């Protein structure tokens, strides 16, 4: 896992404590984004008051840029000194364990890193025989994609630079407040993360079409723009913080500088981030500002999926 350099000042904010950065890599081709953001929410809620947990990154991966079926959680310790400084620890790998982790298992691993004396309550109970330890099959969609790549494009190599996954990185700094209060910005930050990370699905669709077209003129340059990493950074000192930055350089949104108390709409935020990536600014035209609405058929499908009638 790669730690965003711009966050080093946050990692090193306390010379007395070792700080830990968590990374969750997941397969976007398997559509495991919601599983990953849910796990992130569980972790950041449990350790909301633990300054040792400095941040958490969500990193979508999948064919053709990497193997399919990835679900990997790592922790990197940053304290500027000692043998453990900069050391990355593997907490969970679905390829090794053969299943997804329970949230309490991950919390126990992180607790042992940030504060071994911390009581996790019900998450400290021993894992029961609930069937979660059974082996899970690899992602069918990803296996099919990799097979299709071999059969359709044996002589065609997609020109993808090595840093393709590290081009567009977004950080979201939010106030933790009281966990159960409206001042806790985690839920909003997590919602924003979902919106931005969903861009990866557009690239997955592009890849499938590339396979069907069998067009050797098409390269990575024509792939849709995506957000390659979202890092959630809890601010445990200030209330009302919601600051979103792109690639260490550009502030996309800062709630503290807004004239009213309303937070930015997730759809508009996504458009601003894409605009910043493609044009280097965040000024949207009147046509771009309009919020995308579901048509009736899409809305009905969404209601069935989320159980809203």
């Amino acid at each position: 896992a790669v730690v965003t350099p711009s966050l080093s000042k946050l990692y090193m904010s306390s010379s007395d404590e070792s700080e830990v950065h968590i990374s969750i890599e997941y397969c976007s081709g398997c559509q495991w984004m919601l599983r990953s953001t849910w796990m992130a929410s569980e972790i950041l809620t449990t350790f909301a008051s633990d300054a040792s947990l400095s941040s958490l990154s969500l990193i979508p991966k999948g064919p053709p840029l990497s193997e399919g079926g990835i679900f990997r959680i790592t922790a990197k310790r940053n304290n500027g000194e000692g043998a453990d400084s900069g050391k990355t620890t593997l907490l969970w790998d679905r390829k090794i364990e053969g299943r997804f982790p329970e949230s309490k298992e991950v919390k126990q691993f992180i607790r042992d890193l940030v504060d071994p004396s911390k009581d996790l309550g019900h998450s400290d109970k021993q894992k029961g025989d609930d069937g979660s330890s059974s082996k899970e099959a690899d992602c069918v969609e990803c296996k099919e994609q990799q097979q299709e790549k071999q059969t359709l494009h044996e002589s065609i190599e997609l020109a993808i630079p090595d840093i393709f996954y590290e081009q567009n990185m977004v950080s979201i700094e939010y106030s933790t407040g009281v966990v159960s209060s409206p001042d806790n910005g985690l839920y909003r930050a997590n919602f924003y993360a979902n919106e931005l990370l969903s861009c990866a699905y557009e690239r997955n669709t592009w890849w499938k079409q590339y396979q069907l077209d069998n067009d050797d003129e098409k390269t990575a340059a024509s792939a849709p723009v995506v957000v390659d990493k979202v890092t959630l950074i809890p601010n445990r000192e200030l209330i009302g913080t919601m600051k979103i930055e792109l690639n260490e350089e550009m502030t996309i949104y800062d709630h503290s500088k807004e004239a009213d108390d309303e937070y930015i709409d997730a759809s508009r935020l996504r458009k601003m981030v894409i605009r910043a990536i493609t044009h280097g600014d965040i000024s949207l035209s009147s046509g771009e500002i309009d919020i995308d609405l579901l048509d009736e058929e899409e809305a009905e499908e969404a209601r069935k999926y989320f159980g809203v009638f």
Side-chain angles (χ1 to χ4, degrees), residues 254-273:
D254 188 344
H255 183 67
S256 67
K257 297 181 179 178
E258 296 297 308
D260 54 46
D261 290 333
E262 295 296 322
Y263 285 87
I264 188 171
D265 176 81
S267 176
R268 180 170 183 175
L269 172 64
R270 173 173 170 163
K271 292 176 181 178
M272 289 172 68
V273 169

Side-chain angles (χ1 to χ4, degrees), residues 100-145:
F100 292 105
E102 294 184 28
S103 63
K104 64 182 179 183
E105 291 177 295
V106 177
K107 291 176 185 179
Q108 289 169 5
F109 290 138
I110 296 174
R111 183 269 311 279
D112 293 342
L113 285 172
V114 302
D115 182 6
S117 64
K118 183 179 178 65
D119 181 9
L120 295 178
H122 68 276
S123 290
D124 265 329
K125 295 179 181 179
Q126 292 298 315
K127 180 173 171 293
D129 184 13
D130 56 4
S132 61
S133 62
S134 60
K135 296 288 184 180
E136 299 182 28
D138 288 336
C139 173
V140 174
E141 181 178 351
C142 286
K143 290 182 69 175
E144 290 176 348
Q145 287 187 29

Side-chain angles (χ1 to χ4, degrees), residues 189-210:
N190 200 287
F191 179 59
Y192 288 156
N194 274 283
E195 182 73 20
L196 297 176
L197 291 168
S198 65
C199 295
Y201 295 137
E202 296 179 17
R203 185 166 62 188
N204 294 344
T205 301
W206 173 88
W207 170 241
K208 291 179 182 178
Q209 190 60 48
Y210 165 78

